Amino acid sequence: MKKWSTVIIGILIFNTVLAEDGYRLWLRYNTIDNVSLLQQYRQQVTSINCPSDDARLVSANQELQTGLSGLLGKKIPLQTAVINGTVMLALPTHLPFIRKQIGDTAMARLGDEGFIIRTIKYEGKNITLITANKQAGLLYGAFHFLRLLQTQQSIRQLSISSTPKIKLRLLNHWDNLNRTVERGYAGNSIWDWQRLPGYIDQRYLDYARANASIGINGTVLTNVNANAVILTADWLQKVAALANAFRPYNLKVYLTARFSAPVEIGNLKTADPLDPAVRKWWKDKTDEIYKYIPDFGGFLVKANSEGQPGPQNYNRTHADGANMLAEAVAPHDGIVMWRAFVYSSETPEDRFKQAYNEFKPLDGQFKKNVLVQVKNGPIDFQPREPFHPLFGAMPQTPLMMEYQLTQEYLGFATHLVYLAPLFKEVLNADTHSKNENSPVAQIVDGTTDEHTLTGMAGVSNIGSDINWTGHPFGQANWYTLGRLAWDNTLTPAQIANEWIRQTFTNKQAFVDTVQQLMLASREIQVNYMTPLGLHHIMGYGHHYGPAPWYNKAPRADWNPVYFHKADSIGIGFNRTATGSNALAQYQPAVRQQFENMGTCPEAFLLWFHHVPWDYKMHSGKTLWETLCDKYYSGVDSVRWMQRSWDHLKNYIDTERFNQIKQLLAIQEQEAVWWRNACLLYFQTFSNKPIPEKYEKPDHTLAYYEELEFPYAPH
Amino acid sequence: MKKWSTVIIGILIFNTVLAEDGYRLWLRYNTIDNVSLLQQYRQQVTSINCPSDDARLVSANQELQTGLSGLLGKKIPLQTAVINGTVMLALPTHLPFIRKQIGDTAMARLGDEGFIIRTIKYEGKNITLITANKQAGLLYGAFHFLRLLQTQQSIRQLSISSTPKIKLRLLNHWDNLNRTVERGYAGNSIWDWQRLPGYIDQRYLDYARANASIGINGTVLTNVNANAVILTADWLQKVAALANAFRPYNLKVYLTARFSAPVEIGNLKTADPLDPAVRKWWKDKTDEIYKYIPDFGGFLVKANSEGQPGPQNYNRTHADGANMLAEAVAPHDGIVMWRAFVYSSETPEDRFKQAYNEFKPLDGQFKKNVLVQVKNGPIDFQPREPFHPLFGAMPQTPLMMEYQLTQEYLGFATHLVYLAPLFKEVLNADTHSKNENSPVAQIVDGTTDEHTLTGMAGVSNIGSDINWTGHPFGQANWYTLGRLAWDNTLTPAQIANEWIRQTFTNKQAFVDTVQQLMLASREIQVNYMTPLGLHHIMGYGHHYGPAPWYNKAPRADWNPVYFHKADSIGIGFNRTATGSNALAQYQPAVRQQFENMGTCPEAFLLWFHHVPWDYKMHSGKTLWETLCDKYYSGVDSVRWMQRSWDHLKNYIDTERFNQIKQLLAIQEQEAVWWRNACLLYFQTFSNKPIPEKYEKPDHTLAYYEELEFPYAPH
């Protein structure tokens, strides 16, 4: 009968399952299709030996049983007997021999979350040992071992030691309590608040699994434009239910704290951070939170930014506000992440400079358990930004990196854009803050200024769509955040390669082509959206599509015209000493690189200079010609992506192939829209023709200016 | 190798797939687990013979290949050769022998959508013939044949003839253009407007498949609280893309028409339906729509109701408004569905009576292609309502039934409530309009007044949740609408039985228990929410939970107190001649049944009478005692449902078992909440004790009155 049922189910799957809906993400565990490799693996992996004295070990063990049985196409049992091919998970506290085997220094190097995977002899048997100092390490080690098989690497003589470079590896959800998601493009929030705490959706567990598999160890559940209601008892019970669901996957829960909560839900007259009643209210509220969630992570705060309340409402500093909360969570080992994304509507100052101006003076004034969370760039998650001048400027303060996974300015969930190159470009940028080699990566991971409290966050691109991120390739950006936060030395190519293999297939031709697409995709988008250092020229409010002409926003620095400053002479924002002098916020070595129009990398040119239309670029072409070349090459490259993708039809499931094919077609249309709208508009200043060789825009500028999108997601 | 891959995939499924996420609805096609029956089926079904000269036939043929191959656990090929066990789909126009074989009368009886399934000899072979007059019939016949196997019925000597009782079998989506869903509890809208028309989500195709499988042939995409933007060119292209995706499944698209559209998007000064410019605008707009969607179904309109614009704004009648649109769509064979759900905030008249008062006088004034769409009851989708007095009162007008699948007043997507008993209760109610036997069913299906244009609609409970309806049992209500619209003689038991078998398992013990649960569930809910004819006593705005005390709404008839009228003497709404006299709207025979407190069925007592607390019920107990008994028995019955469900653990997948177990636990808590809140409140009028034998409410009335749900879905 067993044979039967297997065969029967085997056929059933052809009909109903091989349609890949993307829900499984990179944890697909399909049986290895390379038969000889499958045979090897089956010899090398025969059973699992794992204690279950901790929820995280139960998770690790479940995942190994599911994953290995799927990958090897046969049941891999949990058993106590150690045999050849046993995968053994254990801490030195479980098995004293481990400490001798590995050695104290090697163990010490792992910290609380690192792991070692070694092929060893144990009681005469060839086994794979996965060990760590803490249970979390074993969980991460289990997922790493599975990844080796998923990506079809040799597991013959393993000797792996891996320790996370960053301590806090977090997702930031901009999810509202009514289940909408600010800047969400993949459906609505996966937090079904209405049915919490009573109903635990399977999705919560798979979300936690996915995060654990890439080392993400914390999640901020709520929008930084915060709602105090989340801090009330009824809602804390809902949060606690999620925390309980996540805990077995070593995923901690954090919340955003609305600064005015003491007034809104505490019936106090003020939220002044130096007011004793306010301080007591936060202390009591925090104690209450920890009653519900003993391992609550802490608070993320957006204060005095874009209308959010904050300490400045009471003439206090960001440090005053952050430290008040830090004191409240400190007894529980909680932390505070205070966002540096601030700019005031009052000051006419270049928005680029405001965060630095406000925060640099506060360096040294923050409590030990406070991190200042800084966006990768000085404006707001544009396709390309120079690194934020605060990196390297606050040596006494742990600076947490904030990336944006949701593609607010990068084509929503419609454009294929792999973000690892953007993330790495920033990490690799040298701040010159301490010496010749102080890249942002080492500021963030604490090396440069010897911080042990370190963090990296990604604004989530996750929603209720079945495939989690709307665009199947959006999954790669979620994946990247986790892998890069764990190991900031990984290259975009390495991360793409392993993601593709797990998510689609190990077939080399597919992997090579898709990896090429992914690595090129971000520069391609920069070219058809904002080449040569243009930035913030998208539609107002919803940020959908191009609107470089827009100038009706209630504040100057929400208008594209504020940022590109196109006129009859040229285009670009002069941030040199003759302009806003934002460059003065960088170290001299960085400033020098940017402040000279001739030496400034062309990719950043219009970030820092107002450049004449006739300016000769390195190529010998004028700025205007180069601008045209960039926009047109961006569109051409999208067409190249389409052609490349079309060749891959037979490598993967029809469902995802067609899905991506359709999305690439929309991306091509929108790339043309960006190119035409921007060039036609800038042409009204340059008064120069679009080179003859190029296809003519198929609409007028007026047509593009009149487009409206009242229901675009925002 | 084949054997291998089968076995391998077979095991993979254990790990990743048998977790049933509900996405497949009742179209699961798992291989028949009854081995002897499987052997029989494999002999009786060996191949498919089906022409592909029409998109609907391609769908039928694809579905048969997928379904039969899944159910039989082996590939069932499409082949032209006819052999023993061929399933042959054909129209008489394909194969002339069919007409002789079946006979003209039998064929004529099928109309445009009916089908015949017969086991016959053809060229000496035993085959199953599925035939019809039109392609749609073959599609529905194919799904019916699959259902026979899914529910494990004999297919040995088939002789089935089936014709839909209702012509328009529609879903009404209350989906907004920003992707929220009014009264939606299963996530957000499945219409991803932002990525339409370029991106066709697989979900659209599976939505159409599911509808075709139960005979639903139309869908209104947009909210009755309408937005004129849907009628603009950009959006019509999105609608057309959906129509193209649905067409192969014989699913027509309809839209809601905002009456003021000529002003809002047409730049006219008025929307007066008698104004020539307005009439021309609608005609031109309609012609434009049909350019995009040649088989567009027509318009659904909510006018002069709850603030929606309508003809009365111009002192015209509903008939004037409906006829204007009817004229516009008539040349394209389109129809207009004009909702009778109207009540004016000005008139103090009993809301029960207003639709009748406004519409009855218009009988005979509507164009031929207009249906008046009437909710099942006079108020608004309460757990129990008497049938709407308009049924039987407008013999010259086709009345379309409007049910609500989304559980706005029935526990959202959290409570297990099977709606077929509610739907059938109304269909079976005798209006006495023409003779002794004029049940609502025969008013709606056109028998009584000889209408050929007939319709039944269900307000959708579908959203972006992976399982479509939030609560797995919500799927049964979607299923019921289709099956009942096709055949209004089906019983709730029959529908539940076939749904359970397809959705979960054919194991008899499971089927019997769950069928029992489902059939009891609606009456159980009436008991813990609104027993004895109570109605509209839920929370204000979001309609979540009990709030019989609420009296702060901007209009009287939005307040629970307006409906229950509890006072020191008794409780209930006197709608007899001594009261609002709403009963006068029914035929004498109906009125008599209700107007006498002694003969009025207790289930409707408080709908029509203000009954003293001490009133002796048939049982001999007082009204108050009976009220207590009902509320307490409702809660006890939910606990019985929980116990029954717990026994089913081993019959189905863990995922859905746990999901439903959790939801039943919440349902129990909310049932207790309803019981306690209502009884404690009504007790302040009755001044009588809750009988000693019952568990005491665990909170005070004040506690319940203070509960607030700012973010409950609405």
Side-chain angles (χ1 to χ4, degrees):
Chain A
M1 275 322 298
K2 227 186 188 63
K3 272 235 161 323
W4 251 130
S5 65
T6 314
V7 177
I8 288 168
I9 295 165
I11 293 164
L12 139 73
I13 197 177
F14 283 116
N15 301 294
T16 53
V17 179
L18 282 190
E20 295 257 12
D21 61 16
Y23 181 80
R24 291 186 293 159
L25 295 161
W26 47 86
L27 300 174
R28 283 165 59 256
Y29 302 140
N30 289 15
T31 304
I32 306 286
D33 49 12
N34 172 334
V35 175
S36 67
L37 184 64
L38 177 62
Q39 298 315 330
Q40 284 176 39
Y41 281 163
R42 286 182 168 186
Q43 284 157 21
Q44 291 154 348
V45 177
T46 57
S47 76
I48 300 160
N49 179 301
C50 175
S52 57
D53 53 11
D54 178 278
R56 283 162 296 195
L57 297 190
V58 174
S59 303
N61 157 16
Q62 275 172 3
E63 195 72 24
L64 282 173
Q65 285 189 61
T66 305
L68 293 174
S69 302
L71 288 161
L72 303 189
K74 60 182 268 204
K75 180 145 185 51
I76 303 300
L78 178 75
Q79 62 183 50
T80 43
V82 175
I83 60 178
N84 283 323
T86 292
V87 178
M88 178 187 280
L89 275 72
L91 304 174
T93 52
H94 293 118
L95 294 171
F97 89 88
I98 292 174
R99 185 164 295 285
K100 295 190 204 62
Q101 176 96 31
I102 307 295
D104 289 343
T105 15
M107 288 304 295
R109 225 179 282 120
L110 302 181
D112 289 350
E113 298 185 304
F115 58 85
I116 277 175
I117 306 179
R118 279 208 201 160
T119 311
I120 62 166
K121 276 255 184 223
Y122 177 69
E123 293 174 354
K125 310 293 183 193
N126 300 316
I127 70 162
T128 305
L129 172 70
I130 302 178
T131 189
N133 293 318
K134 298 270 181 74
Q135 287 82 354
L138 296 185
L139 177 66
Y140 293 131
F143 275 109
H144 188 92
F145 182 69
L146 284 165
R147 179 156 52 236
L148 296 176
L149 278 72
Q150 288 178 279
T151 54
Q152 303 195 358
Q153 298 176 54
S154 164
I155 55 170
R156 204 180 292 280
Q157 283 304 331
L158 293 174
S159 177
I160 296 168
S161 176
S162 183
T163 307
K165 281 273 204 330
I166 304 280
K167 188 176 177 199
L168 306 171
R169 307 176 298 276
L170 267 57
L171 283 176
N172 287 183
H173 287 268
W174 287 357
D175 292 15
N176 300 314
L177 304 190
N178 65 0
R179 221 177 155 173
T180 57
V181 180
E182 183 166 340
R183 308 308 178 181
Y185 312 105
N188 58 358
S189 172
I190 58 174
W191 316 135
D192 181 358
W193 295 116
Q194 170 68 16
R195 301 200 288 182
L196 283 165
Y199 177 62
I200 300 303
D201 196 305
Q202 175 64 32
R203 190 147 202 163
Y204 303 148
L205 307 178
D206 291 323
Y207 167 84
R209 281 177 60 232
N211 282 318
S213 74
I214 53 176
I216 289 176
N217 63 1
T219 180
V220 184
L221 299 176
T222 48
N223 191 351
V224 287
N225 293 321
N227 186 327
V229 170
I230 194 67
L231 301 177
T232 59
D234 287 357
W235 289 79
L236 289 173
Q237 289 171 39
K238 299 171 188 280
V239 173
L242 289 174
N244 295 338
F246 298 162
R247 194 169 291 111
Y249 291 94
N250 203 53
L251 185 67
K252 269 192 187 182
V253 159
Y254 299 74
L255 292 174
T256 47
R258 181 158 168 91
F259 201 79
S260 49
V263 176
E264 291 161 5
I265 60 169
N267 302 316
L268 298 188
K269 295 255 169 313
T270 175
D272 180 347
L274 298 194
D275 180 301
V278 172
R279 300 177 80 82
K280 178 171 191 315
W281 186 87
W282 278 110
K283 203 187 167 320
D284 296 346
K285 176 52 69 179
T286 303
D287 294 345
E288 181 191 359
I289 294 173
Y290 278 92
K291 279 204 188 61
Y292 288 109
I293 310 152
D295 57 355
F296 177 69
F299 295 118
L300 170 63
V301 184
K302 174 181 181 178
N304 294 121
S305 173
E306 301 184 318
Q308 292 296 305
Q312 294 175 343
N313 303 28
Y314 307 95
N315 303 312
R316 313 298 186 187
T317 70
H318 286 291
D320 294 329
N323 291 340
M324 169 186 65
L325 294 175
E327 265 180 40
V329 296
H332 308 282
D333 302 320
I335 57 102
V336 171
M337 298 163 286
W338 195 270
R339 290 177 92 228
F341 179 66
V342 298
Y343 59 96
S344 127
S345 42
E346 291 68 45
T347 62
E349 182 59 277
D350 177 3
R351 178 167 150 189
F352 184 115
K353 298 167 65 178
Q354 295 194 38
Y356 179 101
N357 290 346
E358 285 195 42
F359 277 84
K360 173 153 181 58
L362 300 177
D363 189 32
Q365 297 182 30
F366 292 97
K367 299 254 177 207
K368 273 206 188 52
N369 57 333
V370 175
L371 301 97
V372 170
Q373 183 164 311
V374 183
K375 290 184 179 184
N376 56 276
I379 300 299
D380 194 10
F381 300 132
Q382 294 299 298
R384 168 167 280 126
E385 301 201 18
F387 73 86
H388 199 296
L390 274 174
F391 291 113
M394 298 181 69
Q396 301 175 71
T397 311
L399 298 189
M400 183 160 178
M401 172 66 78
E402 178 176 313
Y403 289 129
Q404 189 181 48
L405 307 181
T406 190
Q407 295 169 228
E408 176 179 359
Y409 301 99
L410 286 83
F412 293 4
T414 311
H415 295 208
L416 192 168
V417 186
Y418 175 50
L419 297 178
L422 186 163
F423 297 167
K424 284 290 283 194
E425 181 175 290
V426 176
L427 290 178
N428 293 340
D430 193 344
T431 66
H432 292 274
S433 63
K434 205 142 194 180
N435 46 50
E436 261 326 287
N437 185 25
S438 316
V440 171
Q442 292 180 19
I443 304 294
V444 173
D445 71 17
T447 316
T448 304
D449 303 305
E450 288 161 3
H451 292 295
T452 53
L453 182 60
T454 58
M456 182 180 287
V459 178
S460 163
N461 59 351
I462 295 164
S464 61
D465 284 1
I466 292 175
N467 74 359
W468 301 86
T469 55
H471 198 304
F473 278 78
Q475 297 178 359
N477 296 329
W478 176 8
Y479 185 87
T480 297
L481 176 80
R483 298 289 289 137
L484 214 48
W486 184 279
D487 182 359
N488 55 22
T489 68
L490 288 171
T491 66
Q494 288 171 308
I495 296 170
N497 188 284
E498 62 182 46
W499 176 79
I500 296 164
R501 292 174 180 275
Q502 296 172 84
T503 305
F504 288 105
T505 173
N506 279 277
K507 296 191 189 108
Q508 200 59 48
F510 182 92
V511 174
D512 292 343
T513 307
V514 174
Q515 187 173 323
Q516 235 190 334
L517 280 188
M518 290 172 71
L519 292 175
S521 61
R522 183 267 186 138
E523 200 62 37
I524 290 169
Q525 180 169 62
V526 168
N527 287 339
Y528 66 71
M529 278 189 175
T530 53
L532 300 175
L534 285 171
H535 51 281
H536 209 288
I537 57 175
M538 67 290 157
Y540 175 68
H542 49 61
H543 299 170
Y544 176 58
W549 48 78
Y550 196 82
N551 61 1
K552 299 190 169 34
R555 43 187 297 172
D557 57 4
W558 283 352
N559 282 319
V561 296
Y562 170 96
F563 292 97
H564 64 69
K565 300 202 181 321
D567 57 23
S568 59
I569 293 127
I571 183 173
F573 198 131
N574 178 358
R575 293 188 165 108
T576 67
T578 65
S580 78
N581 202 21
L583 278 172
Q585 295 184 337
Y586 288 115
Q587 294 293 324
V590 179
R591 189 169 72 237
Q592 282 154 29
Q593 168 195 36
F594 287 132
E595 75 187 346
N596 175 321
M597 217 186 273
T599 61
C600 179
E602 291 185 346
F604 292 103
L605 187 62
L606 305 183
W607 265 100
F608 298 113
H609 300 278
H610 190 70
V611 182
W613 297 109
D614 285 329
Y615 177 77
K616 283 264 175 302
M617 309 287 283
H618 300 313
S619 65
K621 292 186 171 185
T622 66
L623 171 67
W624 170 252
E625 290 165 338
T626 312
L627 198 64
C628 293
D629 291 347
K630 289 287 185 183
Y631 271 112
Y632 274 87
S633 80
V635 170
D636 293 344
S637 306
V638 174
R639 291 169 181 161
W640 162 76
M641 289 168 81
Q642 291 181 280
R643 290 191 302 275
S644 311
W645 184 256
D646 287 344
H647 290 127
L648 302 174
K649 192 177 194 342
N650 301 323
Y651 289 91
I652 60 164
D653 53 285
T654 321
E655 184 166 347
R656 286 184 298 174
F657 175 81
N658 288 335
Q659 189 176 15
I660 290 155
K661 183 181 170 66
Q662 292 182 68
L663 291 172
L664 282 169
I666 302 175
Q667 185 171 357
E668 192 270 346
Q669 292 161 14
E670 297 190 351
V672 169
W673 171 26
W674 270 91
R675 180 197 69 191
N676 292 353
C678 292
L679 286 178
L680 288 171
Y681 169 73
F682 292 133
Q683 190 175 33
T684 63
F685 298 98
S686 75
N687 292 305
K688 298 174 185 308
I690 293 169
E692 274 307 323
K693 61 182 173 185
Y694 291 131
E695 64 188 14
K696 297 248 163 306
D698 50 358
H699 292 289
T700 64
L701 177 57
Y703 166 86
Y704 291 114
E705 288 181 344
E706 282 159 17
L707 292 175
E708 283 186 355
F709 306 94
Y711 301 100
H714 55 271
Chain B
M1 275 323 299
K2 228 188 187 62
K3 270 237 162 324
W4 251 129
S5 65
T6 315
V7 177
I8 288 168
I9 295 166
I11 292 164
L12 140 72
I13 198 178
F14 282 117
N15 303 294
T16 53
V17 178
L18 281 190
E20 295 257 11
D21 61 16
Y23 181 81
R24 290 186 294 159
L25 296 162
W26 48 85
L27 300 173
R28 282 165 59 256
Y29 303 139
N30 290 15
T31 304
I32 306 285
D33 50 12
N34 172 335
V35 176
S36 67
L37 184 64
L38 177 63
Q39 298 315 330
Q40 286 176 39
Y41 281 163
R42 286 182 168 185
Q43 285 156 19
Q44 292 154 349
V45 177
T46 57
S47 75
I48 301 160
N49 179 301
C50 175
S52 57
D53 53 12
D54 179 277
R56 282 162 297 195
L57 297 191
V58 174
S59 303
N61 157 16
Q62 275 172 2
E63 195 72 24
L64 282 172
Q65 285 190 61
T66 305
L68 293 174
S69 302
L71 288 161
L72 303 189
K74 58 182 270 204
K75 180 144 185 51
I76 303 299
L78 178 75
Q79 61 183 52
T80 44
V82 175
I83 58 177
N84 283 323
T86 292
V87 178
M88 178 187 279
L89 275 73
L91 304 174
T93 52
H94 293 118
L95 295 171
F97 88 88
I98 292 175
R99 186 163 295 285
K100 297 190 202 60
Q101 175 96 31
I102 306 295
D104 288 343
T105 11
M107 287 305 294
R109 225 179 283 117
L110 302 181
D112 290 349
E113 297 184 305
F115 58 85
I116 277 173
I117 306 179
R118 280 209 201 157
T119 312
I120 62 166
K121 276 255 183 219
Y122 178 69
E123 294 173 354
K125 311 294 184 191
N126 300 316
I127 70 162
T128 304
L129 172 69
I130 302 178
T131 189
N133 293 316
K134 298 269 180 76
Q135 289 81 353
L138 296 186
L139 177 65
Y140 293 132
F143 275 110
H144 187 91
F145 182 68
L146 284 166
R147 185 181 305 121
L148 295 176
L149 276 71
Q150 287 178 280
T151 53
Q152 303 195 356
Q153 298 176 54
S154 165
I155 56 170
R156 203 179 293 281
Q157 285 304 330
L158 294 175
S159 177
I160 296 168
S161 175
S162 183
T163 307
K165 282 274 203 330
I166 304 280
K167 188 176 178 199
L168 306 171
R169 308 177 297 276
L170 266 58
L171 283 176
N172 287 185
H173 288 268
W174 287 357
D175 292 16
N176 299 315
L177 304 190
N178 65 1
R179 221 176 155 174
T180 57
V181 179
E182 184 166 339
R183 309 307 178 182
Y185 312 105
N188 59 357
S189 173
I190 59 175
W191 316 136
D192 181 358
W193 295 116
Q194 170 67 17
R195 300 200 290 181
L196 282 166
Y199 177 63
I200 301 302
D201 196 305
Q202 175 64 34
R203 190 148 201 162
Y204 303 149
L205 307 177
D206 291 322
Y207 167 84
R209 281 177 60 231
N211 282 318
S213 74
I214 54 177
I216 289 175
N217 62 1
T219 179
V220 183
L221 299 175
T222 47
N223 192 351
V224 287
N225 293 321
N227 186 327
V229 170
I230 194 69
L231 302 176
T232 59
D234 288 356
W235 288 79
L236 289 173
Q237 289 171 37
K238 300 170 187 279
V239 173
L242 288 174
N244 295 339
F246 298 163
R247 193 169 293 109
Y249 291 95
N250 202 54
L251 185 67
K252 269 192 186 182
V253 159
Y254 299 74
L255 292 173
T256 47
R258 181 158 169 92
F259 201 79
S260 49
V263 176
E264 292 162 3
I265 61 170
N267 301 316
L268 299 187
K269 296 253 169 313
T270 175
D272 179 348
L274 299 193
D275 181 301
V278 172
R279 298 176 81 81
K280 179 173 189 314
W281 186 87
W282 278 110
K283 204 187 165 320
D284 295 346
K285 177 53 69 178
T286 303
D287 295 344
E288 181 191 0
I289 293 173
Y290 278 92
K291 279 204 187 61
Y292 288 109
I293 310 152
D295 56 356
F296 178 68
F299 295 118
L300 171 63
V301 184
K302 174 181 181 179
N304 295 120
S305 173
E306 300 183 319
Q308 291 297 305
Q312 294 175 344
N313 303 28
Y314 308 94
N315 303 312
R316 312 299 186 187
T317 69
H318 285 291
D320 295 328
N323 291 339
M324 169 186 65
L325 295 175
E327 265 180 41
V329 296
H332 309 280
D333 302 320
I335 57 104
V336 171
M337 298 164 285
W338 195 270
R339 290 175 93 228
F341 178 66
V342 298
Y343 58 97
S344 130
S345 42
E346 291 69 44
T347 62
E349 182 60 276
D350 177 3
R351 178 168 151 189
F352 184 115
K353 298 167 64 178
Q354 295 193 37
Y356 179 101
N357 290 345
E358 285 195 42
F359 277 85
K360 172 148 182 60
L362 301 176
D363 189 31
Q365 297 181 29
F366 292 98
K367 299 255 177 205
K368 274 205 188 50
N369 57 334
V370 175
L371 300 97
V372 170
Q373 182 164 311
V374 184
K375 292 184 179 184
N376 56 276
I379 299 300
D380 194 10
F381 300 131
Q382 294 300 297
R384 168 168 280 126
E385 300 201 18
F387 73 86
H388 199 296
L390 275 174
F391 290 113
M394 297 181 70
Q396 302 174 70
T397 311
L399 298 188
M400 184 160 178
M401 172 66 79
E402 178 176 314
Y403 289 128
Q404 189 180 48
L405 308 180
T406 190
Q407 294 169 229
E408 176 179 358
Y409 302 99
L410 286 83
F412 293 5
T414 311
H415 295 207
L416 192 168
V417 187
Y418 174 52
L419 297 178
L422 186 162
F423 297 167
K424 285 290 281 193
E425 181 176 290
V426 176
L427 290 178
N428 293 340
D430 193 343
T431 67
H432 293 273
S433 62
K434 204 143 193 181
N435 47 48
E436 263 324 288
N437 185 25
S438 315
V440 172
Q442 293 181 18
I443 304 293
V444 173
D445 70 18
T447 315
T448 304
D449 303 305
E450 289 160 3
H451 291 295
T452 53
L453 181 60
T454 57
M456 183 181 286
V459 177
S460 162
N461 59 350
I462 296 165
S464 62
D465 284 1
I466 291 176
N467 74 0
W468 301 85
T469 54
H471 197 304
F473 278 79
Q475 297 179 358
N477 296 328
W478 177 8
Y479 185 87
T480 296
L481 176 80
R483 298 290 288 137
L484 214 49
W486 184 280
D487 181 359
N488 55 22
T489 68
L490 289 171
T491 65
Q494 289 171 305
I495 297 171
N497 188 284
E498 62 182 46
W499 176 79
I500 296 163
R501 291 175 181 275
Q502 295 171 84
T503 305
F504 289 104
T505 174
N506 278 279
K507 296 190 190 110
Q508 201 57 49
F510 182 92
V511 175
D512 293 343
T513 306
V514 174
Q515 189 173 321
Q516 237 189 333
L517 281 189
M518 288 172 72
L519 291 175
S521 60
R522 183 268 187 136
E523 201 62 37
I524 290 169
Q525 180 170 62
V526 167
N527 287 340
Y528 66 72
M529 278 189 177
T530 54
L532 299 175
L534 285 171
H535 51 282
H536 209 287
I537 57 174
M538 66 291 157
Y540 175 67
H542 49 60
H543 298 170
Y544 176 58
W549 48 79
Y550 196 81
N551 62 359
K552 298 190 170 34
R555 43 188 296 170
D557 58 5
W558 283 352
N559 282 320
V561 295
Y562 170 96
F563 292 97
H564 65 68
K565 301 203 180 323
D567 57 24
S568 59
I569 294 129
I571 182 172
F573 199 130
N574 178 359
R575 293 188 164 108
T576 67
T578 64
S580 78
N581 202 22
L583 278 171
Q585 296 184 335
Y586 288 114
Q587 294 293 326
V590 180
R591 189 170 72 239
Q592 282 153 29
Q593 167 196 35
F594 287 133
E595 75 187 346
N596 176 321
M597 216 185 273
T599 61
C600 179
E602 291 186 346
F604 293 102
L605 188 61
L606 305 183
W607 264 99
F608 298 112
H609 300 277
H610 190 69
V611 183
W613 297 110
D614 285 328
Y615 177 78
K616 283 263 173 303
M617 309 288 282
H618 299 312
S619 65
K621 291 187 172 184
T622 67
L623 171 67
W624 170 252
E625 289 164 338
T626 312
L627 198 65
C628 294
D629 291 347
K630 290 286 185 184
Y631 271 112
Y632 273 87
S633 81
V635 170
D636 293 344
S637 306
V638 174
R639 291 168 182 163
W640 161 76
M641 289 168 80
Q642 291 180 279
R643 289 191 303 273
S644 311
W645 185 255
D646 287 343
H647 290 126
L648 302 174
K649 190 177 195 344
N650 301 322
Y651 289 91
I652 60 164
D653 52 286
T654 321
E655 185 166 347
R656 287 184 297 175
F657 175 80
N658 289 334
Q659 189 176 16
I660 290 155
K661 183 181 171 65
Q662 292 181 69
L663 291 171
L664 282 169
I666 301 175
Q667 185 171 356
E668 191 270 347
Q669 293 161 14
E670 296 190 352
V672 169
W673 171 27
W674 270 91
R675 180 197 69 192
N676 293 353
C678 292
L679 286 179
L680 288 171
Y681 169 73
F682 292 134
Q683 191 174 33
T684 63
F685 299 98
S686 76
N687 292 305
K688 298 174 186 305
I690 293 168
E692 273 309 320
K693 60 181 173 184
Y694 291 131
E695 65 189 13
K696 296 249 164 304
D698 50 358
H699 292 289
T700 64
L701 176 58
Y703 166 86
Y704 292 114
E705 289 181 344
E706 282 159 17
L707 292 175
E708 284 186 355
F709 306 95
Y711 300 101
H714 54 273

